[in-house]
Amino acid sequence: MRLIIEPDYLTLSRWAADYVAAKIKAANPTPEKPFVLGCPTGSSPIGLYKRLIELYKKGEISFENVVTFNMDEYVGLAEDHPESYHSFMWKHFFSHINIKKENIHILNGNAKNLEEECANYEKAIKDAGGIDLFLGGVGQDGHIAFNEPGSSLTSVTRKKELTSDTIIANSRFFDYDLDKVPRVALTVGVGTVMAAKEVLIVCNGHGKARALKHAVEGGVSQMWTISALQLHPHAIIVCDETATDELKVGTYKYFKDIEKDNL
Ligand code: GLP
């Protein structure tokens, strides 16, 4: 695993976006062989999306042949609810770039048959040739997508009950009213993320310091699902200084040293 330590949120977001842009450009995607990008929601990736939009507006990158699969969606929240992940993605990313609507995939949390919806989603990822680069954030309790503590590290797309920690954390988007936060979500599994060719996680702020410590220094554990990335051949976490608050000095220095000459 690579750990890139940037000074602050702005620089980490730029690093991540520039990495994504370079990967898309290098792949030189076509309609027959598009670039498949896994997309997260949450506050962490907003800066990264902002920078990707800037690069698109400058003509440095095109999303014409990019296919996306989002990580997760709440169950039972209307698609046009301002806090649905559908709304989030259009607001912060899709409506500002030249992606084709038919290339966007987001789980339908209002599907009649949720099991079937999840199975079809996994199939659609496979049919698209798998995910080239899965972007992600991380919860304070170390979850990726909605793979809460205790999730199987080989899980695939499925329905998941949210933990109290996540409901409390996400209540900031629902007027701090716990009763307004959906209790259930559909989410790609840890195994779905692990099957991607590359994974890039953005992690910022002191609130993520414990999660980062477990991701990098702890053992692989279902209690910190982000730690599964230790078993991925091409995983990168890009973080800011404050997210490193709980790392050992030696760990911090090691990654600073080995990454100092890299992009
Ligand atoms: C939610 C999302 C995750 C995200 C996490 C952290 O639980 N399902 O994908 O990583 O929140 O969100 P934030 O970036 O706002 O801290």
Side-chain angles (χ1 to χ4, degrees):
M1 177 194 286
R2 291 178 66 190
L3 177 66
I4 314 291
I5 304 166
E6 286 290 316
D8 54 37
Y9 181 64
L10 192 70
T11 54
L12 89 80
S13 300
R14 283 181 84 105
W15 193 99
D18 292 353
Y19 188 88
V20 176
K23 284 284 159 182
I24 294 175
K25 273 197 252 179
N28 201 10
T30 60
E32 294 71 36
K33 199 171 179 326
F35 188 88
V36 185
L37 186 68
C39 292
T41 53
S43 47
S44 313
I46 291 178
L48 143 67
Y49 289 142
K50 221 171 152 187
R51 170 76 177 154
L52 282 175
I53 294 164
E54 264 171 42
L55 294 175
Y56 162 68
K57 290 198 169 147
K58 281 193 205 157
E60 289 181 26
I61 183 178
S62 168
F63 294 90
E64 199 185 346
N65 294 315
V66 173
V67 167
T68 61
F69 284 90
N70 258 81
M71 283 191 142
D72 42 19
E73 178 57 288
Y74 291 114
V75 166
L77 198 65
E79 210 172 285
D80 62 358
H81 186 287
E83 294 306 334
S84 79
Y85 288 170
H86 279 78
S87 299
F88 176 100
M89 289 307 296
W90 282 96
K91 179 176 169 197
H92 292 287
F93 196 32
F94 297 148
S95 58
H96 309 282
I97 57 170
N98 64 336
I99 192 161
K100 292 179 188 143
K101 205 168 177 223
E102 63 270 25
N103 284 351
I104 295 170
H105 302 85
I106 307 180
L107 282 154
N108 176 6
N110 293 296
K112 277 208 187 88
N113 184 334
L114 295 175
E115 281 70 32
E116 194 177 80
E117 171 69 13
C118 294
N120 289 343
Y121 203 70
E122 280 290 327
K123 186 174 178 306
I125 293 174
K126 285 201 180 81
D127 291 349
I131 296 196
D132 291 303
L133 175 58
F134 222 133
L135 304 175
V138 57
Q140 294 189 3
D141 60 2
H143 70 255
I144 39 170
F146 269 130
N147 294 287
E148 299 282 30
S151 294
S152 158
L153 300 184
T154 58
S155 50
V156 294
T157 305
R158 69 216 183 289
K159 196 173 97 178
K160 213 51 203 154
E161 308 287 326
L162 305 187
T163 61
S164 302
D165 280 352
T166 298
I167 290 168
I168 292 166
N170 289 2
S171 68
R172 70 191 192 278
F173 302 115
F174 294 86
D175 311 321
Y176 290 93
D177 182 345
L178 298 188
D179 293 335
K180 287 188 187 164
V181 187
R183 269 27 202 174
V184 181
L186 300 185
T187 179
V188 297
V190 181
T192 318
V193 177
M194 292 293 284
K197 294 176 192 94
E198 278 193 83
V199 183
L200 173 59
I201 302 292
V202 286
C203 175
N204 65 286
H206 178 78
K208 302 291 171 71
R210 278 188 73 200
L212 187 65
K213 175 195 167 75
H214 284 276
V216 178
E217 295 176 340
V220 174
S221 162
Q222 61 175 357
M223 298 315 285
W224 297 86
T225 54
I226 181 87
S227 67
L229 293 182
Q230 292 175 19
L231 299 176
H232 196 287
H234 300 291
I236 304 178
I237 300 180
V238 53
C239 69
D240 63 2
E241 286 283 340
T242 53
T244 68
D245 283 355
E246 295 210 23
L247 291 185
K248 290 180 189 144
V249 174
T251 308
Y252 175 92
K253 285 188 175 170
Y254 171 75
F255 283 106
K256 276 296 224 192
D257 184 43
I258 59 168
E259 292 293 349
K260 67 177 182 295
D261 299 324
N262 286 331
L263 167 77

